[in-house]
CSV table of all heavy atoms in Angstrom, one decimal:
chain,number,residue,atom,x,y,z
A,94,LYS,N,9.0,5.1,15.8
A,94,LYS,CA,9.9,5.4,16.9
A,94,LYS,C,11.3,4.9,16.5
A,94,LYS,O,11.4,3.7,16.1
A,94,LYS,CB,9.5,4.7,18.2
A,94,LYS,CG,10.4,5.0,19.4
A,94,LYS,CD,9.8,4.4,20.7
A,94,LYS,CE,10.8,4.8,21.8
A,94,LYS,NZ,10.3,4.4,23.1
A,95,THR,N,12.3,5.7,16.7
A,95,THR,CA,13.7,5.3,16.4
A,95,THR,C,14.6,5.6,17.6
A,95,THR,O,14.1,6.2,18.6
A,95,THR,CB,14.2,6.2,15.2
A,95,THR,OG1,14.4,7.5,15.7
A,95,THR,CG2,13.3,6.2,14.0
A,96,PRO,N,15.8,5.2,17.6
A,96,PRO,CA,16.7,5.5,18.7
A,96,PRO,C,16.8,7.0,19.0
A,96,PRO,O,17.1,7.4,20.2
A,96,PRO,CB,18.0,4.9,18.3
A,96,PRO,CG,17.7,3.8,17.3
A,96,PRO,CD,16.5,4.3,16.6
A,97,SER,N,16.6,7.8,18.0
A,97,SER,CA,16.8,9.3,18.2
A,97,SER,C,15.5,10.0,18.4
A,97,SER,O,15.5,11.2,18.6
A,97,SER,CB,17.5,9.8,17.0
A,97,SER,OG,16.8,9.7,15.8
A,98,GLY,N,14.3,9.4,18.3
A,98,GLY,CA,13.1,10.1,18.5
A,98,GLY,C,11.9,9.4,17.8
A,98,GLY,O,12.0,8.4,17.2
A,99,THR,N,10.7,10.1,17.9
A,99,THR,CA,9.5,9.6,17.3
A,99,THR,C,9.0,10.6,16.2
A,99,THR,O,9.0,11.8,16.4
A,99,THR,CB,8.4,9.5,18.4
A,99,THR,OG1,8.9,8.6,19.4
A,99,THR,CG2,7.1,8.9,17.9
A,100,PHE,N,8.5,10.0,15.1
A,100,PHE,CA,8.1,10.7,14.0
A,100,PHE,C,6.6,10.3,13.7
A,100,PHE,O,6.3,9.1,13.8
A,100,PHE,CB,8.9,10.5,12.7
A,100,PHE,CG,10.4,10.8,12.9
A,100,PHE,CD1,11.3,9.9,13.6
A,100,PHE,CD2,10.9,12.1,12.5
A,100,PHE,CE1,12.6,10.3,13.7
A,100,PHE,CE2,12.2,12.4,12.7
A,100,PHE,CZ,13.1,11.5,13.3
A,101,ASP,N,5.8,11.2,13.2
A,101,ASP,CA,4.5,10.9,12.8
A,101,ASP,C,4.3,11.2,11.3
A,101,ASP,O,4.6,12.3,10.8
A,101,ASP,CB,3.5,11.8,13.6
A,101,ASP,CG,3.5,11.5,15.1
A,101,ASP,OD1,3.2,10.3,15.4
A,101,ASP,OD2,3.7,12.4,15.9
A,102,VAL,N,3.8,10.2,10.6
A,102,VAL,CA,3.6,10.3,9.2
A,102,VAL,C,2.1,10.2,9.0
A,102,VAL,O,1.5,9.2,9.4
A,102,VAL,CB,4.3,9.3,8.3
A,102,VAL,CG1,4.0,9.4,6.9
A,102,VAL,CG2,5.8,9.4,8.6
A,103,THR,N,1.4,11.2,8.4
A,103,THR,CA,0.0,11.2,8.3
A,103,THR,C,-0.5,11.5,6.9
A,103,THR,O,0.1,12.3,6.2
A,103,THR,CB,-0.6,12.3,9.2
A,103,THR,OG1,-0.1,12.2,10.5
A,103,THR,CG2,-2.1,12.3,9.2
A,104,TYR,N,-1.4,10.7,6.4
A,104,TYR,CA,-2.1,10.9,5.2
A,104,TYR,C,-3.5,11.3,5.6
A,104,TYR,O,-4.2,10.7,6.4
A,104,TYR,CB,-2.2,9.7,4.3
A,104,TYR,CG,-3.0,9.9,3.1
A,104,TYR,CD1,-2.4,10.5,1.9
A,104,TYR,CD2,-4.3,9.5,3.0
A,104,TYR,CE1,-3.1,10.7,0.8
A,104,TYR,CE2,-5.0,9.7,1.8
A,104,TYR,CZ,-4.5,10.3,0.7
A,104,TYR,OH,-5.2,10.5,-0.4
A,105,LEU,N,-4.0,12.4,4.9
A,105,LEU,CA,-5.4,12.8,5.3
A,105,LEU,C,-6.2,13.2,4.0
A,105,LEU,O,-5.6,13.5,3.0
A,105,LEU,CB,-5.3,14.1,6.2
A,105,LEU,CG,-4.7,15.3,5.6
A,105,LEU,CD1,-5.7,16.3,5.1
A,105,LEU,CD2,-3.8,15.9,6.6
A,106,ARG,N,-7.5,13.0,4.2
A,106,ARG,CA,-8.4,13.4,3.2
A,106,ARG,C,-9.4,14.3,4.0
A,106,ARG,O,-10.1,13.8,4.8
A,106,ARG,CB,-9.2,12.3,2.5
A,106,ARG,CG,-8.3,11.4,1.7
A,106,ARG,CD,-9.1,10.2,1.2
A,106,ARG,NE,-8.4,9.4,0.3
A,106,ARG,CZ,-8.7,8.2,-0.1
A,106,ARG,NH1,-9.8,7.6,0.4
A,106,ARG,NH2,-8.0,7.5,-0.9
Side-chain angles (χ1 to χ4, degrees):
K94 182 175 182 177
T95 72
S97 64
T99 301
F100 301 84
D101 294 301
V102 180
T103 305
Y104 175 82
L105 62 101
R106 291 177 176 166

